[in-house]
Amino acid sequence: MTPLIIISVLPIVLLYLGLFKAQKALLPVAIIGMLVAMGTAIAAWTTQDQAQPIYNGMLLFNNFSVAFTVVSIISTILILMLSKGYFEKISTHVAEYYAIILFSLAGIIVMVSYHNLTMLFIGIEIMSVSLYILAGIRKNDFASNEAALKYFLMGAFSTGFLLFGITLIYGSTGSFDLDAIRDWIVTHPRKVDPLFYTGVMLIIVGLCFKVGAAPFHFWTPDVYEGAPSLITAYMSTVVKAAGFAAFLRLFSACFATIADFWAPVLMVITIITLFIGNITALYQQSFKRMLAFSSISHAGYLLFAIVALGAASANSVFVYATAYSIASIIAFGALVLVRQQTGTDDFEGFNGLAGKNPFLAFVLTISMLSLAGIPLTAGFMGKFYMFSGALLQYRYWLVIIAVVNAIISIFYYFRVIVAMYFRPAERTEVVVPAYYKFVLGFSALATIVIGVYPTLVSSLI
Amino acid sequence: MTVSILLLLPVLAAIVVSFIKNGSAKHASMFFALAELALAFYFLSGFVADRSIQYAIDLPWIPKFGIYFSAGIDGISMVMVLLTTVLVPIIILTTYEHQYKNANAFYALILFMQAGLLTVFTALDGFLFYVGWEAALIPIYFICALWGGENRIRVNLKFFIYTFAGSLFMLVGIIYLYLQTPNKVYDIHAFYDLALSPGQQSWVFLAFFIAFAIKMPLFPFHTWQPDTYSEAPSGGSMMLSGIMLKMGIYGAIRWMIPNAPLGFLHWVNTAMILAIIGIVYASIIAFKQKDGKRLVAYSSIAHVGLIAAGIFAWNLVGIQGALIQMVSHGINVVGMFFIWDIISRRMNTRDIDQLGGIAKVAPNFAIAFLIITLGTVALPLTNGFVGEFLLLKSVFSYGLYFAAVAGLTIIFGAVYMLRMYKGVMQGQLNDLTATFTDIKGSEKLALGIICALIIVIGVYPQPLLHISEAAANHLFNEVSHKFMNAKF
């Protein structure tokens, strides 16, 4: 469990660095710390996955956790590298940003490795409280304040649902432990227990809030829009991936045997999520809002893995979440740069970008192709795994609906490409700092490498 | 030597060309295209025209999901490989007079697309086939949208969405077949060996049919095509109509009918009727076209409709006819688009009514145009005749009335094509056309090669037929066997 310890201590170190005005050391220390944490996480990876719960059965750090921890850390590193010089513009207290982001990362590591429902709750709370602060970190900005308040209220509600659900499950099974709950379900087959089933439903509600699945998605667009872009990037990638990891762990470890009960519910949620996310994304004028709504639709695709729960689900979620995260990081990184130059989040801001910044336009194109799920990008592999899993479970209609949605999504993803390449505009060159070049280039390369040879990531879990 | 070299070379070439400065990009791409052609001929020289798959490669790609990088060349693939590798250098040659902005990107995309096309034509793994299918689509989207005409953005988005939608349904079909295989592999032979119920096959057939019908395009899935062809830059139109639409036909022969023979039996009448409606419908619209490029686009729908009808009749003659007609149509349509490219570059119009009498000032051009026109209207001793004859024979064995209606394509084709020729080349010179200069240099070379191919294939098609005969025969027998064993 060393990674969790390192990630928890690291922010305190950073706060001290901030106290002693060592601003320049913040980013390097944070990155080195995370790399060390990542190294220890990788060291915990085993070919024969026989990890046992630790800390009195509170946490289970198996390959699943390792994989999601590593991808969360990598995404966070990439986002922090983009934030070089970004937070300084917003505020003078830079150390706090790094510290809060890392605190939420600690919560995320708990979320992907819990083995006890109390730890799930604690993990989600550590993550969420940090995010409430991050969303509202631009104190004097109205939109940022609104985002924080909205996020906080909605988040508090959802936590309430989640907690209530956990309580009901505890009430009927007598335990918070995932194994104990599973054993209870197995030993009480088909025993109608309204308490327990209600608990499962409430947990679904709580988790759907967290991952931004419809109809519990109403906070997403406003919060994503109001929060600073890089915080939005963090929320829509790392947080979402972790949310699904937590979701999947609970349902595959505990509730798999009663899938008949909750699968129809989740299927309906999936379908609503896909349509709401895609159709509303279609009407956005702001690139950032489009990304927010499209992130809802991606939550819909990710739900596939849970609806069609199977041996490959963990893999599917992992590949999809990885693909989605790296593509989103490119999109948000490019957005930050374009916004700095044009002062707008709208699609028009991207007009003619290809003429002046071929590199930026190219990586953003790869990102959009990946989000749209075009072959030879990581996003396609993610969708491919999802579709395969769903077809394996005979969820044909779900796949057909997903296909229709994938077609709709082409419209808005290609709007960016069209704006960049085919709409002329007078513009000056955007300066792409070296850090951005590295992060964007790395992410684009990773997108293609995973798209061409997905075995690299798909055989990890 | 395995087919992987053939697939890799254009990818590497595309990467190299994209870094070359604009001026020499076309020469570099020509060099690579010729190298690819030489490679194809090398493969041809060692090719044994039996039913076997040669130069095969089979590497684990995503073994966990039963996905292998598995490709090879049999007689049917060989014809398609030749078509692709011969046409790409010709298409590059036809662009020599253009000064494209960012030429390196243009040529890199053409080469990348070639890799995708060749992957489609040689893939023996369903997943690889799909990847190649899409890999050919992305470059052509950018080619058309970056270097196309005025309405290119809207038109190309429509084109892209249509084809992407079709291919996603195909993907679902492929995954479905994969899940039915006992060993969970995407191997085409495992797909062939499946014994699905007629109901299942019916769905699989539809999933493939949507993709292929959009790509070809068959009526009523064709609405993207005339707009896209006329808005695309000539090189793009040539890639699209000369090679890319053959992906749909090839897919039908190789993937759709053998994978779901009973589904095919169930839907064949509908498919046949659509194909034949398309022939007549497109021909009638072609009559009314004033824009030369649009006329060629509609004539292309008619010709492809006939090829599709020949395949749906499902007999050996039809498959053979389809293969040779794919080659002929590819050559002819590239020639036609080049003709219109030359005209529109010189006259700044493609309106047939504004032209006239060009034959008087440009005799060489007139001869080439005439040969290509005659090839397109399938005059005996031109390449179009061999294919159309075989295809009509095939449709005839399916049904007399079908053949009677499908045969109209030849009459209609002759009418609108010769009318077009007359309108452009004969009659009186006007102020505009009096300035027309005859073809020279690269134009002359490209048209010369095209005309030579038209005549050579028309006079002596036997070698081409011979390459594919054994493989087509084998495929036909295999599927017919399933028809006979089918339990309904």
Side-chain angles (χ1 to χ4, degrees), chain B residues 148-475:
Chain B
E150 278 167 28
N151 287 323
R152 59 189 199 274
I153 295 173
R154 188 183 53 77
V155 164
N156 277 304
L157 193 61
K158 180 175 169 185
F159 156 64
F160 189 84
I161 299 231
Y162 254 87
T163 42
F164 184 70
S167 30
L168 274 179
F169 285 104
M170 179 174 82
L171 177 65
V172 174
I174 291 176
I175 298 177
Y176 180 80
L177 286 174
Y178 154 77
L179 292 171
Q180 308 304 316
T181 54
N183 303 327
K184 297 275 181 288
V185 286
Y186 281 90
D187 182 49
I188 189 168
H189 297 105
F191 285 5
Y192 283 3
D193 291 340
L194 287 174
L196 303 179
S197 73
Q200 288 172 306
Q201 294 200 20
S202 190
W203 287 108
V204 172
F205 179 86
L206 280 186
F208 280 94
F209 184 75
I210 293 173
F212 298 152
I214 290 173
K215 199 71 131 201
M216 285 184 205
L218 275 189
F219 176 87
F221 303 96
H222 67 283
T223 55
W224 62 269
Q225 191 252 32
D227 291 339
T228 310
Y229 280 21
S230 43
E231 287 298 324
S234 335
S237 311
M238 293 177 197
M239 289 299 280
L240 266 171
S241 59
I243 317 177
M244 195 173 180
L245 71 82
K246 273 73 182 185
M247 282 168 39
I249 301 166
Y250 174 83
I253 298 177
R254 170 84 75 194
W255 292 89
M256 181 174 80
I257 298 174
N259 277 339
L262 303 183
F264 169 65
L265 275 190
H266 186 248
W267 289 106
V268 63
N269 249 324
T270 316
M272 195 68 152
I273 289 168
L274 288 182
I276 288 184
I277 291 177
I279 294 172
V280 179
Y281 167 86
S283 300
I284 291 173
I285 295 182
F287 279 126
K288 303 290 287 177
Q289 294 307 313
K290 301 269 179 265
D291 180 326
K293 216 173 165 187
R294 280 186 88 84
L295 194 153
V296 178
Y298 277 107
S299 90
S300 177
I301 299 180
H303 282 106
V304 172
L306 182 63
I307 301 180
I311 295 169
F312 294 148
W314 198 251
N315 50 51
L316 194 55
V317 176
I319 303 172
Q320 286 272 62
L323 284 169
I324 196 159
Q325 183 64 0
M326 277 197 259
V327 175
S328 308
H329 177 259
I331 294 165
N332 295 339
V333 84
V334 165
M336 269 298 166
F337 277 126
F338 189 38
I339 294 281
W340 279 105
D341 182 42
I342 291 172
I343 295 175
S344 64
R345 206 146 21 87
R346 291 186 189 177
M347 306 281 99
N348 259 328
T349 178
R350 298 191 304 239
D351 188 346
I352 297 171
D353 292 347
Q354 290 183 29
L355 301 165
I358 292 178
K360 293 195 181 77
V361 285
N364 289 331
F365 182 64
I367 294 168
F369 194 172
L370 186 65
I371 294 174
I372 295 168
T373 308
L374 294 179
T376 310
V377 303
L379 192 79
L381 292 186
T382 63
N383 60 357
F385 176 72
V386 191
E388 296 213 343
F389 175 75
L390 293 174
L391 288 169
L392 275 176
K393 195 168 164 233
S394 159
V395 179
F396 186 82
S397 63
Y398 182 85
L400 174 63
Y401 295 109
F402 286 100
V405 182
L408 290 174
T409 176
I410 295 189
I411 305 166
F412 286 170
V415 176
Y416 61 72
M417 278 294 163
L418 292 175
R419 254 182 31 183
M420 174 179 87
Y421 186 79
K422 187 177 132 228
V424 176
M425 303 305 283
Q426 295 170 333
Q428 292 303 310
L429 278 172
N430 57 32
D431 296 346
L432 183 70
T433 52
T435 59
F436 197 95
T437 48
D438 205 354
I439 48 171
K440 57 183 184 301
S442 66
E443 295 171 342
K444 212 170 183 172
L445 183 62
L447 284 176
I449 296 170
I450 291 169
C451 292
L453 286 171
I454 289 175
I455 293 169
V456 168
I457 296 175
V459 174
Y460 190 49
Q462 192 50 38
L464 205 54
L465 289 168
H466 177 67
I467 294 173
S468 59
E469 191 169 5
N473 202 358
H474 174 60
L475 190 68

Side-chain angles (χ1 to χ4, degrees), chain A residues 315 365 374-376 380-381 384-385 387-388 391-392 396 399 403 406-407 410-411 414 417-418 421-423 452-455 458-459, chain B residues 61-65 67 112 127 130-131 134-135 138 141-142 145-146 152-153 157 160-161 164-165 168-169 171-172 175-176 179 186:
Chain A
N315 244 316
T365 303
I374 308 281
L376 298 180
F380 167 68
M381 293 315 305
F384 173 72
Y385 287 163
F387 288 1
S388 300
L391 283 173
L392 187 61
Y396 301 124
V399 174
V403 164
I407 296 164
I410 292 285
F411 278 101
F414 270 61
I417 298 179
V418 165
Y421 282 95
F422 315 134
R423 298 215 190 281
V452 173
Y453 196 64
T455 313
S458 69
S459 51
Chain B
W61 186 5
I62 317 174
K64 200 171 167 184
F65 282 82
I67 295 169
F112 190 76
F127 187 83
Y130 180 78
V131 169
E134 295 288 302
I138 305 290
Y141 170 75
F142 280 99
L146 280 171
R152 59 189 199 274
I153 295 173
L157 193 61
F160 189 84
I161 299 231
F164 184 70
L168 274 179
F169 285 104
L171 177 65
V172 174
I175 298 177
Y176 180 80
L179 292 171
Y186 281 90

Side-chain angles (χ1 to χ4, degrees), chain A residues 143-183:
Chain A
S144 187
N145 279 319
E146 186 199 342
L149 184 63
K150 210 163 192 167
Y151 197 15
F152 174 67
L153 288 177
M154 291 293 192
F157 264 117
S158 72
T159 314
F161 278 112
L162 183 73
L163 203 51
F164 196 18
I166 292 175
T167 317
L168 290 181
I169 285 175
Y170 179 75
S172 46
T173 66
S175 176
F176 289 122
D177 188 77
L178 297 194
D179 285 343
I181 296 170
R182 186 197 59 212
D183 293 343

Side-chain angles (χ1 to χ4, degrees), chain A residues 57-105:
Chain A
M58 283 302 188
L59 294 172
L60 172 66
F61 205 65
N62 57 359
N63 283 353
F64 179 88
S65 319
V66 172
F68 277 100
T69 305
V70 169
V71 81
S72 303
I73 293 178
I74 291 177
S75 305
T76 312
I77 291 177
L78 292 177
I79 292 170
L80 283 186
M81 287 177 78
L82 292 183
S83 71
K84 163 119 179 108
Y86 181 79
F87 293 136
E88 280 86 344
K89 286 192 193 124
I90 306 177
S91 155
T92 47
H93 306 285
V94 188
E96 282 81 345
Y97 288 88
Y98 290 100
I100 298 171
I101 288 180
L102 284 170
F103 275 131
S104 81
L105 187 60

